[in-house]
Amino acid sequence: MIFTVFLTIAAFGVKNGFGSEEVLLVRLTNGSSPCEGRVEIFHNQSWGTVCDDYWDLADVVVVCRQLGCGFAELARGSATFGVGTDNIWLDDVKCEGMEQSLGECASHQLGKHNCHHREDAGAICNRDQPPKPILSLSRSVDVLVKGEDILIYCGSLGFYKNAAFYLYRDGESNPIASRTPKSRGNSAAFLLKNINEDQEGNYSCGYDVEESGRVFTSARSQSITITVKDQLKGPKIRDNARANVLVRGQLLEITCEAPSFLSGSRFHLHKRGDDNFMASMVASARSNSVVFQIPDITSREEGNYSCDYQAEIAGKLFNSNRSLDLKVQVIDTPSEPVFTISGKGMYFKGESIEIVCRVTSLYRGAKMLLFRDGQKEPLMTANVTSTLNMAKFNMTNINKTHDGKYWCNYQIEVAEITFQSANSLPKEITVVEDMDLRLVGGTDTCSGRVESFYNGTWGSICASGWNILNGQVVCSQLGCGFGRAIVPGGHFGEASGPILFDHVRCTGLEAFIWNCPSQRLNTRTCHERNDAGVICSDRPQQPEIGLLRPLGFYAQGETIEIQCVSPPYLPGATFHLEKAGNPSMNNTVVAAENSSNVTFSIENINLTQAGIYQCWYQIQTQGKCYNSTTSDQIKVSVIERPSGPLIRLFRDNSRYSIGEFVDIQCTAPSVISGAIFNLRKVGAEEVVQSKLSAGFAATFTIANVTYANGGDYTCSYQLKRSGQLYNSTESNAINVNVTDELQRPVIDVLRPIATFVPGEDIIFRCSASSVFAEITFFLYKVGESGAVSVEGPNTSSNAKLTIYNMTNIQESYFTCMFKVAIGKRLYISTHSDRVQISISDFTEKPSISLKFPFKVYPQGQILTFICTAPKQYQPRDFQLYKDKRVPVARVELRGASAEFTILNTSMSDQGEYVCIYQTTVKNRRYNSSASDPFSLSVAENMQHRLVNGTNRCNGRVEIFFGDQWGTICDDHWGLSDARVVCGTMGCGDAVTAPTHAKFGQGIGPIWLDDVACRGDESALWQCGSRIWGQHNCQHGEDASAVCSGIKPTIRLVPDYGIFVNGEMVKINCSLGGRNASHRIDFYKDLSYLGHRILDLGVQWAVYEISNVSAQDVGNYSCVFHNQVSGTSVNSSMSSPVLIAVTDPLPMPKIDLLTVDGLQVVNCSVDKMRGNSTMNLFQLRSNGTKQILSVQMSNCSSTFHLNTTGSAGENHYACLYQVQVNGRSLKSSYTQYVQVATSGSSNVKSIVGWFLAVLIAILVLVASVLYCKRSQSSGIKREYRIYVRERLLDDMTHIEAIDDDRAH
């Protein structure tokens, strides 16, 4: 059965959408009782939910208090009670627990949130038990020193009357101390004086409170373990410098901070290497830290510092441990600042720029200087803020004169010396002024496609995120009045130029469209046919009208408040309120200069003022006055007498025992607030009770009912409006039947399982049907006549009855009953049902659960079991078993629980797991019973797939588990769920998440239902969902996903890391697998370049740059477009590839030098680049040969030549080579130089002797021949012999020259 409870909450401090206070309704829905469920708020005539951000038990305390549901038990989030519909009204609710209404708590403005309905908050109230208290210490550490005093605080969530707090140690049933606050409070402090080892242990607390005349007992708090030591815990140390770096002459401040305050603590500062401490200080009153100062720091003060402290406790002096080391470094020059600038370096005329310069270390009093190229003096100066270590420079209404490179540095004065930091890296600002705007393709110049002129061409604006605020700026900029309507993308045709802006986000107040935030020159998600358009009008937009109350129902004499709201970009308007059919009823209110709404008040309303109301406004802009159209109409109903309330009892039947307390609730219509409620007994003239309520309901309590209180009751309410009282009609009657038979009590054991070990204390709770003024409770062991425990008399509805130090012979059944004294008569109830108590040799079993519960465990996951002992035990050890064997697991103890982690889950980890723990009761060690088994199934092979689509990246979602494929139900299926599927399959992002078997019905099982992914999970089975295989669906509800597609692959041809000016480069974009792509778009730096249309079946396209230049430098990427079920779908953008361009390497210079009598070749360049090499080549008849190579360290390289050997001439040239981005770039060859070589000395000596002999022989032969010829012919001939050494080829030639040649 689904229960819904609602109660009004006077929302003091909570504002509705118009900025005024209103009365809120609150209800709990979808719970199993009237006091649990999803929290919902009634606002603006509809129910909405509360987001679970910051939602905690303090918030639930307030909700339960207002609903009359007792105490808060649990705060629920993540739509535990199902997701709501429509609006989310509240977010970031932060109650303190003492408020009377949820509206008194801090929160966001009504309707403002950043949540989804999967974050709907829920509440579980408990009529019988207050929320668990919170335990804390007066010090931030739980390790104490023997002899000191410690305060332990026990606090409740929410303020309750007559609270009594109790302190417990080591789980004992009897408290060691109790406190009752003197006034209405929510905490108590327990003082432990002169603490020692005997007071070590686990402390917890609880409290009793009175609510509605009944006394309730809370559960125990979480425990705090107190440990007593002989030495104080070490302090923390820090200095006044970021990164522990200071400038020479600066003041060094070292702070030493103890974990908590101890009066008179003395701190010592140590420097590593020194035997004694270098400074000592006593902390000031109520401080737990000191600051050591070292002025005018130098390099001598560099080193590692530490500190400790002493404190006197109970007359004894205690020392602390030493802190960690603090390393201090001293430098002579401050580090350079970090320079950041808003935007991306390109700006439009009229914009504002914020420049931020940050220092990486803390320098007090630093002054930041902003420079621009071409100026010697700083453009601006600002002091560095001490909190953020930065300075801000703002330039407004920029224009072309702001172009240039900017940088900053800072100055700091230390010990009368000014230090100047290095300059930051420069940033360039470019301002675009040649901008224009027009509307194209409409019926006139004030409607059409929005186009902007930039860089010599007209381009369009993408319609992504395009709204009326953007259209308003366009219309205002063009002098076309006001934005009347925006149209679907492409309505006014497709532009031919580039897309200049995407995701424009105007406020409506900007002077130019390019002053609005946007993604500029960025078309990642836009197509040309999705161009933005607007229709302008000379009439402002219609205003909104609303009543500042959920319904238009008023009683005579009330004040009506009607709000009229213009668009936020039209502030300062004059508003007119009219009553339809009565033009004379016209009110006028002028809005404030910066406000776009007004409130009309009609006081002391009467029947004649009921009717239909509407409003309109006048606005003056651009020198003209404009009238808006008339708003929608609202109806105001005025009644002469308020309608009757509802009356009910807080009990299913109307039977009450004599002496009980009877609660009767009277509820007026939800629009009523501030009423006086009256309770009457039928037949009696006098009012039984009267109560003023801030809301629309009141609860009456009749204490200690007697027979005289029996009978029929009705209620009514009064409204006081404008000094007049208006009485409602009477409610229906309810009957209160009083009997002298006490209703049977209920008995339970304050533990989930009624099994105990010998020596434990057993606490029973006996509960009567209601509160009695004087009641006594009795506990009986079945079969025995005497009570084993008695509690009372007191004023309560229940009592705790305890059996101490339970033994085996007390194992039995128990019942309880109660007696009530009313007047002089004693009434006795019947006995309760029986409850069985068992004595065992094993303590109560623990619970076992998974820390991160996957619905199905694939292999390779990390698996963590949590074994938790019952809260009444202090476990010493835990053990995990799988199929009766101890598995290999990493164990981590966490107080009353242990975590067992199994790494890299495999099929062998499948099976049933149980856990046990060990604990001590009355100095005897016990093992627990085994936990309930936890069955773990590990899937050997789990996969996702998409079927029945046009490619593998769209279709019906299916999961392979075990040996078959199954589908997913579309309940709560959304884009974040589809995103997990797409990401897992490498198919990019999710575009849509179709439902209702969009891609056909599956035939296998339905594996998952109510899937609730965040979107960042690595598999669907890691998302929240129902238990695996459980669902309430048919295959007609199969979920689907349409993904953006496999990311395309992009590469450069040729695949160089850098290109030389003038080379050709091709950008190749290719698709993988089967696809239905029809177009590929190419982008440079995320700006649209162009596209290529694909023929059917073609899976790649090329964008060619024939003569690459510096203008082509950038990151290139591509996107392809699919048609999926008639929808154009973009793929994810490819990974980028970088085109880097450089100038050709310059030809090096070559020189022939003589160094120390030796000839050398010097090769040089004007400027060296990166990884450079100089090569020397020898020129030969058959080509060139590299003979030497040198890795360059500067701009020149010298080659020493071997000029020995055969005499002759060699020719040499240089070639410069650089490795850039993995490519080897080479210059052209230099001009050659000629180098002469000579033979060696030994060779010359041998040749010399040989020539001498040869010459002698030749002279002799010549003489003989001469003589003979002279004798025979008489012709005179003369031979001259030349010997020439040709150094070029080291060969000797002898030439005979005939001077008497024949003529």
Side-chain angles (χ1 to χ4, degrees):
M1 182 176 180
I2 304 297
F3 292 87
T4 298
V5 175
F6 63 90
L7 187 72
T8 190
I9 295 181
F12 304 112
V14 170
K15 305 291 183 181
N16 65 13
F18 300 110
S20 64
E21 295 181 356
E22 66 166 331
V23 177
L24 298 178
L25 300 177
V26 172
R27 69 180 182 185
L28 298 178
T29 62
N30 275 20
S32 60
S33 75
C35 292
E36 70 173 56
R38 182 175 63 249
V39 182
E40 293 191 352
I41 302 294
F42 191 80
H43 169 65
N44 202 20
Q45 302 186 21
S46 67
W47 288 100
T49 60
V50 178
C51 181
D52 63 7
D53 293 347
Y54 298 102
W55 185 256
D56 58 19
L57 205 61
D59 308 315
V60 179
V61 165
V62 178
V63 171
C64 296
R65 176 180 288 135
Q66 290 307 115
L67 291 175
C69 285
F71 307 96
E73 180 172 301
L74 288 173
R76 292 297 194 187
S78 302
T80 301
F81 296 99
V83 294
T85 57
D86 299 327
N87 297 295
I88 298 175
W89 287 132
L90 282 180
D91 188 15
D92 289 355
V93 179
K94 298 174 184 176
C95 299
E96 295 179 6
M98 60 184 174
E99 296 88 348
Q100 297 301 309
S101 70
L102 197 62
E104 297 176 29
C105 303
S107 71
H108 276 320
Q109 187 178 8
L110 278 165
K112 183 179 180 181
H113 65 88
N114 58 355
C115 306
H116 300 282
H117 277 297
R118 291 174 184 154
E119 302 171 75
D120 285 346
I124 299 178
C125 305
N126 189 326
R127 288 185 178 273
D128 299 316
Q129 190 171 64
K132 184 185 294 185
I134 298 173
L135 192 68
S136 61
L137 298 177
S138 58
R139 287 178 53 188
S140 58
V141 294
D142 53 6
V143 177
L144 310 175
V145 178
K146 186 189 304 182
E148 71 173 305
D149 300 338
I150 187 70
L151 281 171
I152 301 178
Y153 297 101
C154 184
S156 66
L157 286 171
F159 288 88
Y160 302 103
K161 295 180 181 178
N162 304 326
F165 291 85
Y166 305 94
L167 183 66
Y168 301 87
R169 189 175 70 192
D170 294 333
E172 296 291 342
S173 58
N174 292 325
I176 62 173
S178 63
R179 294 284 186 276
T180 300
K182 294 182 180 179
S183 60
R184 187 184 186 200
N186 69 333
S187 66
F190 299 92
L191 176 64
L192 301 182
K193 295 182 65 66
N194 195 21
I195 198 166
N196 55 46
E197 293 91 340
D198 294 337
Q199 290 169 295
E200 286 186 328
N202 295 296
Y203 288 80
S204 60
C205 72
Y207 63 95
D208 291 340
V209 294
E210 180 183 327
E211 188 78 2
S212 302
R214 297 173 58 186
V215 177
F216 299 87
T217 299
S218 76
R220 295 274 181 93
S221 69
Q222 295 290 336
S223 62
I224 292 178
T225 302
I226 292 181
T227 305
V228 181
K229 300 289 185 182
D230 290 328
Q231 194 166 29
L232 297 169
K233 189 174 181 180
K236 294 180 180 179
I237 190 171
R238 63 181 185 274
D239 64 6
N240 62 319
R242 295 278 177 89
N244 305 330
V245 179
L246 294 99
V247 177
R248 175 172 53 85
Q250 221 179 330
L251 171 67
L252 170 62
E253 292 184 341
I254 297 178
T255 301
C256 189
E257 182 181 5
S260 59
F261 169 75
L262 291 171
S263 178
S265 296
R266 176 173 288 277
F267 292 80
H268 307 100
L269 181 65
H270 305 264
K271 185 181 180 186
R272 185 184 294 178
D274 295 343
D275 294 334
N276 299 319
F277 59 81
M278 60 182 297
S280 176
M281 288 183 67
V282 176
S284 59
R286 303 309 301 170
S287 176
N288 65 327
S289 64
V290 297
V291 178
F292 297 99
Q293 294 186 337
I294 305 176
D296 300 332
I297 192 169
T298 67
S299 58
R300 292 193 303 272
E301 277 77 37
E302 281 192 331
N304 293 287
Y305 292 81
S306 62
C307 67
D308 57 22
Y309 65 99
Q310 292 177 326
E312 184 176 318
I313 299 173
K316 184 177 179 181
L317 193 64
F318 290 90
N319 295 318
S320 77
N321 295 316
R322 189 77 63 88
S323 71
L324 298 174
D325 278 358
L326 171 73
K327 184 177 180 180
V328 174
Q329 181 182 355
V330 181
I331 61 175
D332 288 329
T333 303
S335 57
E336 67 183 35
V338 177
F339 184 93
T340 58
I341 186 169
S342 60
K344 297 182 179 180
M346 187 187 73
Y347 304 88
F348 296 110
K349 179 182 177 181
E351 285 194 281
S352 297
I353 299 176
E354 182 181 78
I355 296 174
V356 178
C357 293
R358 301 178 185 272
V359 291
T360 55
S361 302
L362 175 61
Y363 301 117
R364 293 182 179 176
K367 182 170 71 172
M368 192 69 68
L369 311 174
L370 178 66
F371 293 87
R372 188 174 69 183
D373 55 354
Q375 295 184 348
K376 294 183 179 180
E377 297 299 319
L379 188 66
M380 300 182 193
T381 63
N383 292 327
V384 176
T385 59
S386 59
T387 53
L388 300 176
N389 302 325
M390 69 177 187
K392 290 184 178 180
F393 303 97
N394 292 297
M395 294 189 292
T396 60
N397 197 25
I398 61 172
N399 53 47
K400 200 63 180 176
T401 63
H402 292 85
D403 277 2
K405 289 185 177 179
Y406 292 76
W407 66 90
C408 63
N409 60 38
Y410 59 97
Q411 296 175 345
I412 177 172
E413 186 174 314
V414 178
E416 299 182 354
I417 300 174
T418 299
F419 293 89
Q420 183 88 26
S421 77
N423 292 336
S424 68
L425 294 175
K427 300 277 187 178
E428 186 160 2
I429 292 176
T430 303
V431 181
V432 179
E433 283 193 327
D434 58 337
M435 300 288 292
D436 201 356
L437 192 70
R438 69 183 181 185
L439 295 178
V440 181
T443 57
D444 54 28
T445 58
C446 289
S447 65
R449 180 178 65 252
V450 183
E451 291 193 354
S452 177
F453 185 80
Y454 166 69
N455 200 21
T457 186
W458 286 97
S460 60
I461 297 177
C462 185
S464 298
W466 188 253
N467 59 31
I468 193 62
L469 297 177
N470 305 326
Q472 170 63 28
V473 175
V474 171
C475 296
S476 176
Q477 180 178 342
L478 293 174
C480 288
F482 309 91
R484 188 182 79 190
I486 59 173
V487 294
H491 177 81
F492 290 110
E494 180 179 346
S496 58
I499 296 177
L500 299 179
F501 300 95
D502 190 5
H503 288 92
V504 180
R505 301 181 302 280
C506 299
T507 64
L509 298 172
E510 291 84 356
F512 303 99
I513 190 66
W514 39 79
N515 293 155
C516 302
S518 65
Q519 295 178 4
R520 296 174 184 170
L521 306 178
N522 183 347
T523 57
R524 286 186 296 175
T525 58
C526 195
H527 312 295
E528 291 89 342
R529 60 179 173 274
N530 197 26
D531 296 327
V534 66
I535 299 173
C536 305
S537 171
D538 58 357
R539 299 200 72 177
Q541 271 190 285
Q542 180 187 45
E544 294 180 0
I545 191 171
L547 287 167
L548 297 187
R549 203 155 88 176
L551 300 176
F553 164 85
Y554 291 86
Q556 288 193 85
E558 286 195 86
T559 297
I560 295 179
E561 290 185 327
I562 301 175
Q563 190 155 44
C564 191
V565 183
S566 67
Y569 50 81
L570 296 176
T574 300
F575 289 83
H576 302 268
L577 178 68
E578 298 174 347
K579 182 184 178 187
N582 189 354
S584 62
M585 293 187 65
N586 189 321
N587 293 340
T588 301
V589 176
V590 179
E593 183 179 355
N594 59 350
S595 175
S596 61
N597 66 79
V598 297
T599 300
F600 297 94
S601 295
I602 305 175
E603 298 181 352
N604 196 20
I605 194 169
N606 54 50
L607 294 174
T608 64
Q609 292 170 305
I612 304 298
Y613 287 82
Q614 59 194 18
C615 70
W616 57 279
Y617 63 93
Q618 293 175 318
I619 189 73
Q620 188 166 355
T621 181
Q622 298 174 350
K624 296 181 180 180
C625 188
Y626 299 90
N627 293 338
S628 76
T629 54
T630 305
S631 70
D632 294 333
Q633 295 180 335
I634 58 170
K635 183 178 181 180
V636 174
S637 299
V638 181
I639 59 172
E640 187 172 2
R641 188 177 185 186
S643 59
L646 299 175
I647 191 171
R648 73 182 183 98
L649 294 169
F650 286 96
R651 183 173 288 183
D652 292 337
N653 59 57
S654 61
R655 186 178 180 187
Y656 289 83
S657 299
I658 193 168
E660 280 195 87
F661 286 47
V662 179
D663 290 330
I664 302 174
Q665 187 178 62
C666 188
T667 305
S670 58
V671 295
I672 300 298
S673 62
I676 300 172
F677 290 85
N678 299 309
L679 179 68
R680 290 183 175 84
K681 187 176 182 183
V682 176
E685 295 183 1
E686 299 295 327
V687 173
V688 177
Q689 290 185 30
S690 182
K691 183 174 289 188
L692 174 64
S693 173
F696 64 91
T699 299
F700 302 99
T701 300
I702 304 173
N704 302 321
V705 294
T706 64
Y707 294 116
N709 299 122
D712 294 331
Y713 289 83
T714 63
C715 71
S716 63
Y717 61 92
Q718 291 179 321
L719 292 176
K720 189 174 184 179
R721 299 291 186 260
S722 302
Q724 296 187 30
L725 284 176
Y726 296 90
N727 294 313
S728 75
T729 57
E730 291 289 324
S731 69
N732 294 328
I734 57 167
N735 178 261
V736 175
N737 181 15
V738 182
T739 175
D740 60 0
E741 294 182 6
L742 299 181
Q743 298 191 38
R744 192 179 193 183
V746 176
I747 189 172
D748 60 330
V749 181
L750 296 185
R751 217 151 90 173
I753 300 176
T755 300
F756 299 80
V757 295
E760 285 192 273
D761 300 335
I762 304 178
I763 302 176
F764 299 84
R765 179 169 55 200
C766 190
S767 301
S769 58
S770 182
V771 175
F772 290 90
E774 187 175 329
I775 185 172
T776 303
F777 292 89
F778 301 85
L779 178 69
Y780 290 89
K781 181 180 179 182
V782 175
E784 295 183 2
S785 58
V788 295
S789 181
V790 179
E791 184 69 30
N794 53 38
T795 301
S796 179
S797 64
N798 64 73
K800 292 180 181 178
L801 303 160
T802 306
I803 301 177
Y804 298 99
N805 199 16
M806 191 78 172
T807 63
N808 288 321
I809 61 173
Q810 291 174 300
E811 184 177 54
S812 183
Y813 290 91
F814 292 83
T815 65
C816 75
M817 50 85 68
F818 64 91
K819 298 179 182 179
V820 176
I822 300 175
K824 296 181 180 180
R825 183 176 173 183
L826 186 66
Y827 294 87
I828 301 175
S829 75
T830 58
H831 279 264
S832 67
D833 290 334
R834 298 188 299 177
V835 61
Q836 183 179 13
I837 299 297
S838 300
I839 305 298
S840 171
D841 292 331
F842 299 94
T843 56
E844 185 181 334
K845 65 184 177 183
S847 63
I848 186 171
S849 60
L850 290 171
K851 185 174 183 179
F852 302 108
F854 297 136
K855 305 309 174 186
V856 176
Y857 277 85
Q859 297 188 74
Q861 295 288 342
I862 295 177
L863 181 66
T864 300
F865 287 100
I866 300 177
C867 186
T868 304
K871 60 184 179 181
Q872 66 268 21
Y873 296 114
Q874 301 298 324
R876 296 179 178 271
D877 194 14
F878 288 86
Q879 186 60 63
L880 180 70
Y881 294 93
K882 173 190 169 287
D883 300 331
K884 300 182 179 180
R885 295 185 179 183
V886 177
V888 177
R890 185 179 66 203
V891 184
E892 186 174 357
L893 297 179
R894 295 184 177 274
S897 64
E899 293 185 0
F900 297 88
T901 300
I902 300 173
L903 302 175
N904 196 21
T905 310
S906 66
M907 293 300 296
S908 62
D909 295 310
Q910 189 167 269
E912 285 196 343
Y913 289 79
V914 297
C915 67
I916 65 169
Y917 64 93
Q918 287 186 338
T919 189
T920 300
V921 177
K922 302 296 184 183
N923 297 320
R924 179 180 172 184
R925 180 167 291 186
Y926 289 92
N927 289 331
S928 73
S929 302
S931 67
D932 292 333
F934 188 99
S935 181
L936 177 71
S937 297
V938 179
E940 185 172 9
N941 181 21
M942 293 188 65
Q943 302 173 43
H944 300 95
R945 74 178 181 185
L946 295 172
V947 298
N948 275 17
T950 58
N951 59 52
R952 60 178 292 267
C953 290
N954 59 82
R956 183 177 62 251
V957 182
E958 293 191 352
I959 294 178
F960 186 80
F961 175 62
D963 58 355
Q964 64 183 138
W965 290 94
T967 62
I968 297 173
C969 181
D970 63 9
D971 291 347
H972 304 143
W973 182 256
L975 207 59
S976 58
D977 310 311
R979 185 170 292 120
V980 174
V981 177
C982 296
T984 303
M985 299 185 63
C987 286
D989 200 4
V991 177
T992 59
T995 58
H996 296 88
K998 171 76 172 181
F999 291 93
Q1001 297 185 18
I1003 57 174
I1006 298 175
W1007 286 130
L1008 290 178
D1009 189 12
D1010 292 341
V1011 177
C1013 300
R1014 298 184 307 273
D1016 57 358
E1017 295 87 349
S1018 59
L1020 274 179
W1021 43 87
Q1022 295 178 2
C1023 303
S1025 71
R1026 289 196 183 198
I1027 297 175
W1028 188 261
Q1030 290 190 3
H1031 62 88
N1032 58 357
C1033 307
Q1034 303 293 327
H1035 278 297
E1037 302 171 75
D1038 285 344
S1040 304
V1042 175
C1043 309
S1044 59
I1046 302 170
K1047 185 185 293 186
T1049 302
I1050 192 168
R1051 64 187 180 92
L1052 301 178
V1053 180
D1055 189 13
Y1056 291 157
I1058 192 167
F1059 292 86
V1060 177
N1061 265 320
E1063 290 186 319
M1064 184 185 74
V1065 58
K1066 294 181 179 180
I1067 305 168
N1068 187 306
C1069 182
S1070 59
L1071 320 176
R1074 182 169 62 94
N1075 66 83
S1077 301
H1078 64 281
R1079 193 177 90 172
I1080 292 181
D1081 288 351
F1082 290 88
Y1083 296 85
K1084 175 193 171 190
D1085 295 330
L1086 303 181
S1087 296
Y1088 176 78
L1089 274 180
H1091 65 269
R1092 300 290 182 265
I1093 302 300
L1094 302 182
D1095 293 331
L1096 186 63
V1098 176
Q1099 298 182 1
W1100 56 272
V1102 173
Y1103 188 90
E1104 183 177 304
I1105 303 174
S1106 56
N1107 291 293
V1108 72
S1109 66
Q1111 294 181 345
D1112 300 310
V1113 172
N1115 287 292
Y1116 289 78
S1117 52
C1118 61
V1119 170
F1120 66 83
H1121 305 278
N1122 280 344
Q1123 286 290 330
V1124 178
S1125 299
T1127 302
S1128 180
V1129 176
N1130 297 348
S1131 76
S1132 301
M1133 186 166 284
S1134 71
S1135 300
V1137 292
L1138 174 66
I1139 291 183
V1141 180
T1142 184
D1143 291 328
L1145 292 181
M1147 179 192 298
K1149 299 177 183 177
I1150 187 167
D1151 296 293
L1152 184 61
L1153 307 174
T1154 301
V1155 179
D1156 296 331
L1158 300 175
Q1159 289 184 308
V1160 298
V1161 174
N1162 181 266
C1163 302
S1164 63
V1165 291
D1166 292 334
K1167 185 177 181 180
M1168 190 183 73
R1169 294 175 54 182
N1171 184 14
S1172 300
T1173 304
M1174 189 65 76
N1175 303 288
L1176 184 66
F1177 285 82
Q1178 185 179 24
L1179 278 63
R1180 298 186 175 182
S1181 59
N1182 60 348
T1184 60
K1185 178 181 180 182
Q1186 180 180 325
I1187 59 172
L1188 290 173
S1189 179
V1190 175
Q1191 189 75 28
M1192 300 180 68
S1193 59
N1194 51 46
C1195 291
S1196 66
S1197 299
T1198 301
F1199 300 94
H1200 293 270
L1201 302 176
N1202 182 7
T1203 58
T1204 62
S1206 302
E1209 294 181 347
N1210 287 338
H1211 297 80
Y1212 296 93
C1214 299
L1215 184 141
Y1216 179 48
Q1217 186 174 359
V1218 178
Q1219 288 287 335
V1220 182
N1221 292 352
R1223 182 182 179 187
S1224 178
L1225 301 179
K1226 297 179 182 180
S1227 71
S1228 56
Y1229 288 100
T1230 63
Q1231 299 294 326
Y1232 69 87
V1233 295
Q1234 180 176 300
V1235 179
T1237 60
S1238 60
S1240 66
S1241 59
N1242 291 331
V1243 173
K1244 289 181 179 180
S1245 177
I1246 295 170
V1247 171
W1249 283 104
F1250 173 77
L1251 290 176
V1253 174
L1254 182 60
I1255 291 170
I1257 295 171
L1258 290 174
V1259 170
L1260 179 60
V1261 171
S1263 299
V1264 173
L1265 293 174
Y1266 181 79
C1267 291
K1268 289 182 176 181
R1269 288 192 178 186
S1270 297
Q1271 294 174 0
S1272 61
S1273 61
I1275 301 174
K1276 183 179 179 180
R1277 289 180 179 271
E1278 181 181 351
Y1279 285 86
R1280 286 180 292 179
I1281 300 174
Y1282 290 85
V1283 179
R1284 182 162 59 188
E1285 295 180 352
R1286 299 178 66 89
L1287 297 178
L1288 184 61
D1289 53 6
D1290 292 332
M1291 296 180 63
T1292 301
H1293 298 267
I1294 300 176
E1295 299 182 19
I1297 302 175
D1298 187 355
D1299 287 338
D1300 299 317
R1301 297 178 177 89
H1303 300 282

